[in-house]
Amino acid sequence: MSRPRAKMTNHFPGCPVESTLSFLDGKWKGVILYHLLSDGTLRFSELRRRLSSVTQRMLTKQLRELEESGLITRTVFPVVPPRVDYALTPLGQSLRPVIMALDAWGQRHVRCENGERQIEADGEESDRSVA
């Protein structure tokens, strides 16, 4: 039986990289962090609009995990209807160079056309498709 990645991070040379990736692990976490870095504090509904393909349940799950990691804060306002804001903590803000490097790499090497992603090597088109 394999152990979860989080339990293996102290047992191999790539530990710092693997540990950092474990906080970003999840289809939506990096994108959530990107939007909070770009736009500042956002309401749940605003995040949901920006990530139109995510279900409410999955967004809630990813936000909870980011909150448990100490990367974001969740502020609930006692109003009707309920208002919940999400913002980056200073620890979350410290991921800015990592998220912006991912953005720059994607801008340079990934092209999205007709619902498909293509990887390009330094401006040259590649035959490789990414699902």
Side-chain angles (χ1 to χ4, degrees):
M1 176 182 242
S2 66
R3 293 186 295 168
R5 182 187 340 205
K7 295 192 180 198
M8 299 185 336
T9 55
N10 294 323
H11 304 291
F12 59 94
C15 178
V17 172
E18 188 69 17
S19 296
T20 302
L21 287 173
S22 72
F23 291 105
L24 303 176
D25 198 12
K27 185 173 182 179
W28 301 103
K29 288 181 187 175
V31 181
I32 292 167
L33 293 170
Y34 173 79
H35 284 294
L36 291 173
L37 280 167
S38 300
D39 303 324
T41 301
L42 292 172
R43 289 182 174 186
F44 181 88
S45 59
E46 293 169 323
L47 280 166
R48 182 93 194 274
R49 272 193 294 277
R50 284 171 171 78
L51 288 77
S52 59
S53 299
V54 69
T55 64
Q56 182 171 337
R57 180 179 174 173
M58 179 55 70
L59 180 56
T60 299
K61 180 180 184 284
Q62 299 280 276
L63 288 166
R64 283 185 183 149
E65 290 176 11
L66 287 167
E67 185 181 11
E68 288 171 12
S69 299
L71 298 176
I72 66 171
T73 59
R74 177 178 186 263
T75 306
V76 179
F77 295 91
V79 294
V80 177
R83 177 178 150 204
V84 181
D85 285 354
Y86 292 92
L88 291 171
T89 63
L91 183 62
Q93 285 283 349
S94 72
L95 283 169
R96 178 178 293 279
V98 175
I99 301 297
M100 293 301 115
L102 290 170
D103 178 52
W105 190 90
Q107 293 287 338
R108 183 170 181 172
H109 297 288
V110 180
R111 298 288 172 252
C112 298
E113 294 176 7
N114 302 324
E116 289 188 19
R117 291 179 286 176
Q118 302 282 325
I119 296 178
E120 299 176 0
D122 291 320
E124 299 175 13
E125 283 201 33
S126 170
D127 292 336
R128 291 176 281 177
S129 271
V130 180

